[in-house]
Structures are given as C-alpha cells and as structure tokens.
Amino acid sequence: MKLDRRSFLQTSVGTGAFVLAGAGIGSGIGTTTQFVVRPPGAKQGSEFLRSCIRCFQCGLMCPNMAIKPMGLKNGLAAIFTPHINPREQACMLCMKCGEVCPTDALEKIHSDYDSIQSKVKMGQAEVDPSVCYSYNGRLCGVCYDACPFPEEALKLKLFAQPEVDTDKCVGCGLCERACIHIPEAIRIYPSEKSVTNS
Amino acid sequence: MLQIARRLTQALSLLFVILVPFLAYLNTLRQAYGIKGFHIANMSGGPVVGKFYAVYERTFGLLDEPVPLIDSVKGSFWSFTIFGFNISDPLAAIDFVLASKSIHGPLLASILIPVALTMILGRAFCGWVCPINTLTELLDRARSGLARILPGIPNINLGSKTKHWVLVGTVIIVVVAGIPLFSTYLPYVILGRELHNMFLFQAVGAGAYLLLILALFEFFISRRGWCRYLCPSGAMLSLIGSRSVVHITKPGSAKCLESCRECDRLCPMGLDVRNGSPGIDCTNCGDCLTVCPQGLLSYTYGFNRKSPVYTAAVVVALALILSTPASAHHMGGIPHYGYTENYPQVPLTEQSADVGDWIVSVTTIFFQGISQDLSSIPYDTQLYIHIRDRNATYSTSTASFKDPFNKGEISKTDNTDSGTSSYTGKILLTISDYQNNKLVSYSLKAPSEESIYRFRHYFKREGDYRVMVGFFPKGQLEEILFAVTIKTPGNSIWPIALGSSVVICSTLFLLYRKQKTTKYRKRKTKMLEVNP
C-alpha cells in the first residue's frame, strides 16, 4: 500500500478520531446503571461483559425462553448480553445454557442439587410484607409451591407467611414469577455476583 | 455445475440460519406442552405458529426424542454448537481475547476448523457461506437492473484497504474500552440475532434497521460496498487465507480476447481478474470461471513456497480439533407454565419517591390480556399506588428487611401488628398530559385491597403523562408528581433508524464528493504537468 504524505496524514487523523470516539463510547455509554439477573453460573460483573461474545446460544438453548437479549438500557457495554426478567419468565435451573456457552462466561454446572446449591447465585429473593397477602390477613403460599427448594430456600411460617433463607436461595425467580399479587410481593435482587458494573 | 454447487451451499447456509431459531422455538413449545401440544400452541402462539407446530409434529415429532436432537444444533455463524462441538468465528475469539485479556482453550479450539478451512480454501466463507453475501448478491442483481434505467447511480469506491483499517480500528477500540464490539455491527451476526428475536420473542430489535441501512447503502450508494470495502471479517479472512491452497489463476501464456472484460465486470469483489491473479480479496466464488468465453481461468490447487508451514499448521489444527472434548448432554422433564408473551403481570414502569416519612410507589401495568396487538383497547393501563411508612415495622423473624425500591434497611422489631405500616386513607390521583392539560382525576377513600390503591385508565395514545398523587398524612394534603411513559415496547426505534441513516448517507455523500474533487485535482495537476 503506497502512502503519500497527504493520505498518510488523513488516515492517521481518521484512525485517531475513530479510536477516540470508541474510547468515549466505551467509557461513557459503557457505564451501566441497572441491576440485572444473569443466567445461572454467570461470571462476576464486568468480567461477564468482557467474556461474553454475544452469540446468544444460551437464549436459543433455554427451554423456557427465560433468557432474553438486553437492549441499550444498560449502555453499549451490555448490549445483546443475556439476562433474565424473572417476572416475565423465570429460570428453571436446567443448566442447559452453560453447556453451549463457548467462552465459559456461563459456567458449566451439572443440573443436580449439590452443584446448583454450591455454584448458582443469580440473586436473592426478598419478601415485601407490606403488600404480601399472607402478611396482611389472607392465606396464599403460592411462592412456596413454586420454589424448587421448598422448606430450604423458602419456608412457610404460621398463616403461610413466606420466609427466605439467604444461604439456600439461588435466585431462580420462580417465586417472583408465581406471585399472584400485583405488584409482586416477592422479588429477586441480583446478587453482587451478577451486578453488571463492578 | 460449480455455480449450482455454490448456490446450493448458500441456500443451505441461509436455511441453517433461519431454521435453527425457528426449531428452537418449536422445541420450547414441545417441551412446554408435550407431544399432543398442537391445540395449546395454536392458542398461545396464534394460528401461524399452530400450523408450523403441526408440520413439526409430523416430521420431528415422529422421532422418539426430537428435543435433544434439535438442541444439539444451536447458534448462528458467529458461534454455533453442533453435536457437542463448538465452532466459532475467528473474530469472536479475537474479540474475547482482547476484551477479557484472557485465553479460553475451548474457544480457541473452536476457531481451528474455520481457520484451517480458510487456509485451504481462501476467503471462501464470504463467497460460499455468508448469508449476507447471498442476500447482497440478490440485491446486486436488482441494482444492475436499476443501473440500466438510471446510469448515473453513484458507485463509491472506498478502497479495498478500508476494511483492514476498520478491523484495526475496532481492535484498538476493543482493547481500549474492554467491550467486545464486532458482534454489535457485523451484519451476519445481526441477521442471526434478529432471526432469533423474530422467532423466539416475536419482535425485532435495532439490528433489523441496521440491516435496512446496509441494504439501502448497497443499493443506492456503493455496489457491494460492505463486502468489498468495509467488512472486517472479510479483511480477517483475506489475511488468514492470503496464501490459500486453492486460488484462481490464469496461465501466463494464455491470451485474453482484446475487448473482453467479462470477468472484471462480473467479479463480485470488483477485482482485477483479467491481469492474472485476483489477489487476497478473492472469495473463490468461481463466477469468473464460468463466464470466461475461452475457459482460461481455473482453480489451482497449489502450495506456495511457504506452504509446508501452513500444511503443518493445518495438520496440528486438525489434531487439536479431534481432541476437543464433546460435551453433549441432555436433561428431560422440565416444567413449564404460563403464557408465552405479554403476561399482564409484568410491570411497564415502576417508580418510587419520598414524601416526608412516606415512600410513594407507582407501578403501571398494561392490562389488555394475553396479546396487546389483538386488543381493542391497546393502552388499557392499571396504575397501582402504594404508600408505605419509611420506619415501617413488620411481624417477622427475619433479621432485617430491605426496602424493595430504595434498598434501605428497615429495623426489626417485635411488633405483631402487620399491615399497619402503610397509608390507608384517602388518595387523589390526577392524570394530565405533558403539556399539563388535565385529563382526568380519581379519588379513593380506602385502598382497593390491603394497602394497594388500584386505578384503571385508558390512555388514548402512547406518550409521556404526568401522574399527580395526593394523600393526607396527619390530615394535610401532600402531593407528588410522577412522569409515566406509556408506550408499546420496541416501537420507538424508527426515529433513531431514520436519524442514523440520514447521518450515514450524508457522510458517505461527503466522502463521494471528496473523492470526486481529489480526482479532479489529480487531473488538473497532470494537465499542468503536461502543459505548464
């Protein structure tokens, strides 16, 4: 490739502007603002953003269509990354998504009790007693029926009042999905592990 | 024959990109509703999905276990898994390594087959497989028809080296910003992703508009512009395949017809085929072979001087591929329930704000039922208002509670009176549009259920609204204003697409003008040199 001085200057100025613009995009729009629930076994925070190649095989694999691609709401850094909105469709802990991940952004975890309990921490369920039916004089207990680890992650007290065990809850969101109250009385708060920006 | 083989390969790869997400969708229905799931699929997905599901039942459904079979092929050309083997684009690996600054063995192993094939076949992925190339070839035919009517249609030459600069520039940005970027703009990745969105979620994202802009660019501004001048993947593959085993040559002794320019005219990459070897940008598509009236051009299966190194690399690569562990594995028996789309429990907006000791939260939810598109009242919305005491106390034995909106710690006491911590008195609600014209006002004397106030309002159209909540703690009116946006998700992309296409088109027009003036200047200097 022959370069005279003029075109060399033009090319270098152009490349410089391109790089500056990219760095601006990366640092400015790239900062994330919202907390999201990632698929099970996801790496921590920004490490996940860097290692996900956005191929979306996990979403194609998900039998429950719970994994959805993210839009621009968390900046350009998180665009097209997989996330779960438990209220729409929650994770069933089948662990198929980790199997197809080509980069180990989602860890490969066996779908059995011990591996899920020890390795998966998508978030943390929390009950809002001021709206929950069972805390306000009615009997409900639907979240307990939905929980994959009943009597461990979620216990029912007197009058079917739910109580979350923070150690056993993996944050799958089936309780939030099942809650019959609007707005939901039990919610998943993404764990420190899944926070988009660390 | 060659052309038939190429068209067949292209059609198969296009079919692959379309079928994988479609079958994935049918697979989720199959897993959700069981073997005789036709009626439920018909109900929840609509008659079209029902018909497709019937076809699926008559083909894959006849197998004993169709689910693991279909699950064993997943992905698009950016990265796909086939029977436990992962195959990825070389750029995906570059993206990952540069952004995460780490190396992941299986990913590097997964690019070996494409790299080895490119070393043997050159940039054949572009000419034979890439679905975007297939589509733009069709577009190019339409464009040549248009060019017959409008001979002055612009055809900008951005220079075949530009794509290498795009590659280098993106690589630098990826390193600086630490974000994988190639997947956000490569059109064949976007095509795969938009097809996923289309089949799995019945919606398309911003990528569809990028594809539209690309089509307009190719059609009106630059003939085959993306593949010839801009595609960084093409640049990457042409570098890897620069010394490919298979390439197109013309024997040195062969003499072309004097006025024949058929090969140059037809070459989709706009290369100089007539003068011998077309160079590294050749996609080995073989169009020139078929068109040459004398049959002078041919594929050469030759090794160049450096080829022993390359052969060794290919052998090592193949050996490594064989050692990649297969991880195919499946589960059965998955529960499933609920609607597939727009379940009316998912909130549209959620906001909260503080008024003195009270936390006011407003949740809006579309309430049209299963499908918003089919609803006769498209913006039938329910507003849920909940006012709680900041210093609330609950009867519970859990150590501490976090407030769901503010995440503030709420201290634990042994108070057994539950439900008393929320405001339960009279409430006023005023909805006005964004120009502050009052639309409607409601009032409720007591909560609709427990401590939740529920209002139903038909918004006439999408847009921003003001919602004023008034309540009476200690007998005095306190008011607080919320801004609520009512809109169907995924509809607001048109202005962005229009704006960005205008910007891109004007930039390209400026480039075109600049190129013309440069040519003019060069001609002028030449003329001055000739007659000073």
Side-chain angles (χ1 to χ4, degrees):
Chain A
M1 185 173 173
K2 277 180 198 165
L3 282 176
D4 55 19
R5 191 192 290 169
R6 190 190 176 89
S7 59
F8 173 73
L9 277 175
Q10 280 175 352
T11 319
S12 37
V13 166
T15 315
F18 197 55
V19 168
L20 279 179
I25 288 167
S27 57
I29 309 175
T31 49
T32 51
T33 49
Q34 293 191 11
F35 296 84
V36 292
V37 179
R38 296 285 183 201
K43 280 187 182 173
Q44 288 194 353
S46 55
E47 200 186 334
F48 177 79
L49 295 184
R50 276 188 256 110
S51 44
C52 172
I53 58 167
R54 281 85 161 145
C55 65
F56 203 57
Q57 288 186 63
C58 48
L60 276 177
M61 202 65 177
C62 182
N64 202 20
M65 290 197 283
I67 301 178
K68 305 217 158 112
M70 197 186 289
L72 266 173
K73 70 174 182 184
N74 261 4
L76 200 64
I79 192 166
F80 305 134
T81 50
H83 79 295
I84 291 174
N85 182 0
R87 189 60 170 166
E88 270 177 66
Q89 200 68 280
C91 173
M92 304 181 307
L93 303 171
C94 69
M95 300 296 150
K96 280 184 174 180
C97 46
E99 279 170 31
V100 286
C101 184
T103 65
D104 268 5
L106 306 177
E107 200 184 335
K108 288 176 177 50
I109 300 172
H110 256 278
S111 184
D112 57 50
Y113 177 83
D114 291 329
S115 351
I116 289 176
Q117 274 293 347
S118 59
K119 288 179 181 166
V120 177
K121 191 69 186 170
M122 301 153 77
Q124 175 66 53
E126 278 177 30
V127 186
D128 182 357
S130 69
V131 291
C132 176
Y133 280 129
S134 293
Y135 281 94
N136 289 281
R138 301 196 209 180
L139 289 174
C140 173
V142 165
C143 48
Y144 175 83
D145 290 341
C147 183
F149 305 109
E151 282 307 315
E152 293 181 30
L154 199 64
K155 286 177 195 138
L156 285 192
K157 298 187 296 181
L158 192 61
F159 305 126
Q161 295 182 344
E163 187 192 356
V164 181
D165 186 329
T166 46
D167 293 332
K168 292 281 183 179
C169 177
V170 297
C172 65
L174 288 167
C175 49
E176 182 179 344
R177 174 71 170 73
C179 181
I180 57 170
H181 198 278
I182 296 178
E184 58 269 37
I186 186 165
R187 286 166 190 251
I188 301 298
Y189 291 92
S191 66
E192 285 303 306
K193 273 184 96 173
S194 327
V195 173
T196 31
N197 204 10
S198 59
Chain B
M1 190 61 207
L2 185 72
Q3 285 310 300
I4 293 170
R6 187 164 87 95
R7 296 286 174 226
L8 210 64
T9 322
Q10 285 182 328
L12 281 177
S13 63
L14 202 59
L15 203 67
F16 171 80
V17 176
I18 295 169
L19 266 188
V20 163
F22 181 63
L23 287 177
Y25 178 60
L26 291 182
N27 228 6
T28 57
L29 294 181
R30 170 70 162 71
Q31 288 172 84
Y33 306 128
I35 298 163
K36 300 270 178 226
F38 168 71
H39 291 293
I40 313 177
N42 209 7
M43 242 169 63
S44 80
V48 180
V49 173
K51 290 224 168 56
F52 279 120
Y53 193 82
V55 173
Y56 169 81
E57 276 192 338
R58 273 183 226 125
T59 52
F60 285 93
L62 299 175
L63 299 170
D64 282 344
E65 282 195 62
V67 171
L69 178 74
I70 291 172
D71 269 355
S72 58
V73 183
K74 282 283 142 78
S76 74
F77 287 113
W78 186 236
S79 175
F80 62 91
T81 309
I82 182 157
F83 299 113
F85 285 104
N86 223 309
I87 293 177
S88 301
D89 194 295
L91 272 187
I94 289 178
D95 227 5
F96 170 78
V97 169
L98 294 179
S100 68
K101 277 102 181 162
S102 64
I103 284 174
H104 184 241
L107 181 65
L108 292 185
S110 70
I111 67 165
L112 287 176
I113 288 180
V115 168
L117 283 177
T118 310
M119 280 177 176
I120 297 167
L121 299 172
R123 204 184 147 188
F125 171 78
C126 299
W128 289 65
V129 179
C130 179
I132 287 296
N133 181 67
T134 314
L135 296 175
T136 48
E137 267 177 15
L138 293 175
L139 207 64
D140 190 32
R141 296 218 165 163
R143 188 191 148 94
S144 63
L146 185 76
R148 231 170 266 158
I149 309 163
L150 287 172
I153 189 164
N155 182 10
I156 304 177
N157 185 346
L158 295 171
S160 67
K161 288 279 184 274
T162 316
K163 56 178 177 288
H164 296 269
W165 287 111
V166 173
L167 177 67
V168 171
T170 315
V171 159
I172 293 171
I173 294 175
V174 168
V175 172
V176 172
I179 309 165
L181 272 182
F182 284 111
S183 63
T184 56
Y185 72 86
L186 278 177
Y188 59 95
V189 186
I190 291 175
L191 181 74
R193 182 180 295 133
E194 291 310 326
L195 286 167
H196 299 170
N197 287 349
M198 218 170 86
F199 288 123
L200 262 68
F201 311 119
Q202 285 87 40
V204 286
Y209 303 105
L210 286 177
L211 290 180
L212 185 73
I213 291 168
L214 175 75
L216 291 176
F217 168 66
E218 299 244 334
F219 199 73
F220 290 111
I221 297 166
S222 178
R223 187 183 164 215
R224 299 303 311 277
W226 178 263
C227 305
R228 283 184 187 179
Y229 316 125
L230 293 174
C231 183
S233 188
M236 187 73 212
L237 293 177
S238 71
L239 287 179
I240 295 173
S242 57
R243 291 179 179 280
S244 59
V245 177
V246 178
H247 46 271
I248 287 171
T249 49
K250 191 182 78 169
S253 56
K255 269 264 191 267
C256 282
L257 295 173
E258 194 56 42
S259 60
C260 174
R261 295 281 185 283
E262 281 299 299
C263 47
D264 287 0
R265 190 183 61 77
L266 203 73
C267 180
M269 289 296 116
L271 301 172
D272 195 359
V273 190
R274 192 174 185 265
N275 292 345
S277 63
I280 63 168
D281 281 334
C282 177
T283 62
N284 279 347
C285 69
D287 278 1
C288 48
L289 266 65
T290 331
V291 84
C292 182
Q294 290 173 293
L296 294 176
L297 293 157
S298 64
Y299 281 127
T300 314
Y301 309 91
F303 295 95
N304 345 41
R305 259 175 292 139
K306 284 194 180 175
S307 62
V309 180
Y310 276 78
T311 326
V314 170
V315 169
V316 169
L318 288 171
L320 277 171
I321 290 157
L322 292 177
S323 66
T324 346
S327 57
H329 176 104
H330 67 265
M331 315 278 168
I334 290 144
H336 191 106
Y337 45 78
Y339 302 111
T340 55
E341 57 175 307
N342 200 32
Y343 191 55
Q345 67 173 6
V346 182
L348 191 68
T349 61
E350 282 190 294
Q351 300 174 57
S352 73
D354 295 4
V355 184
D357 273 348
W358 302 91
I359 300 166
V360 184
S361 60
V362 175
T363 309
T364 54
I365 294 179
F366 273 145
F367 235 82
Q368 304 81 355
I370 298 176
S371 175
Q372 199 186 331
D373 304 334
L374 303 175
S375 170
S376 54
I377 312 158
Y379 304 112
D380 176 3
T381 311
Q382 294 236 14
L383 290 106
Y384 296 84
I385 291 165
H386 180 217
I387 301 168
R388 78 188 69 203
D389 195 342
R390 176 185 293 285
N391 311 309
T393 52
Y394 303 107
S395 64
T396 168
S397 60
T398 315
S400 65
F401 277 108
K402 280 180 181 169
D403 183 82
F405 295 99
N406 283 353
K407 303 206 160 184
E409 295 274 318
I410 291 170
S411 61
K412 174 227 166 187
T413 63
D414 292 318
N415 188 353
T416 45
D417 276 12
S418 54
T420 54
S421 52
S422 303
Y423 175 80
T424 48
K426 194 186 174 194
I427 189 171
L428 302 171
L429 185 87
T430 313
I431 298 173
S432 44
D433 65 13
Y434 225 71
Q435 283 75 40
N436 223 352
N437 304 319
K438 190 171 145 189
L439 297 177
V440 70
S441 58
Y442 299 99
S443 78
L444 273 179
K445 283 200 176 120
S448 317
E449 59 176 39
E450 274 78 54
S451 49
I452 304 277
Y453 297 85
R454 192 173 59 217
F455 300 93
R456 189 170 194 171
H457 185 69
Y458 306 132
F459 288 92
K460 289 266 162 49
R461 57 184 74 84
E462 323 189 324
D464 295 328
Y465 292 90
R466 291 158 179 256
V467 173
M468 177 79 88
V469 180
F471 62 112
F472 302 89
K474 297 167 198 150
Q476 281 223 299
L477 176 67
E478 295 264 15
E479 281 191 318
I480 181 151
L481 187 68
F482 288 90
V484 173
T485 306
I486 301 292
K487 75 173 176 68
T488 319
N491 247 1
S492 67
I493 202 75
W494 276 110
I496 303 172
L498 203 68
S500 51
S501 56
V502 165
V503 168
I504 289 171
C505 288
S506 49
T507 318
L508 287 165
F509 180 70
L510 286 175
L511 272 172
Y512 177 55
R513 285 298 302 266
K514 189 177 150 287
Q515 199 194 10
K516 265 194 157 174
T517 42
T518 330
K519 265 187 191 164
Y520 173 70
R521 256 191 225 132
K522 271 185 188 161
R523 220 185 307 141
K524 211 173 172 185
T525 30
K526 255 188 195 167
M527 274 164 68
L528 284 172
E529 276 167 7
V530 174
N531 4 297

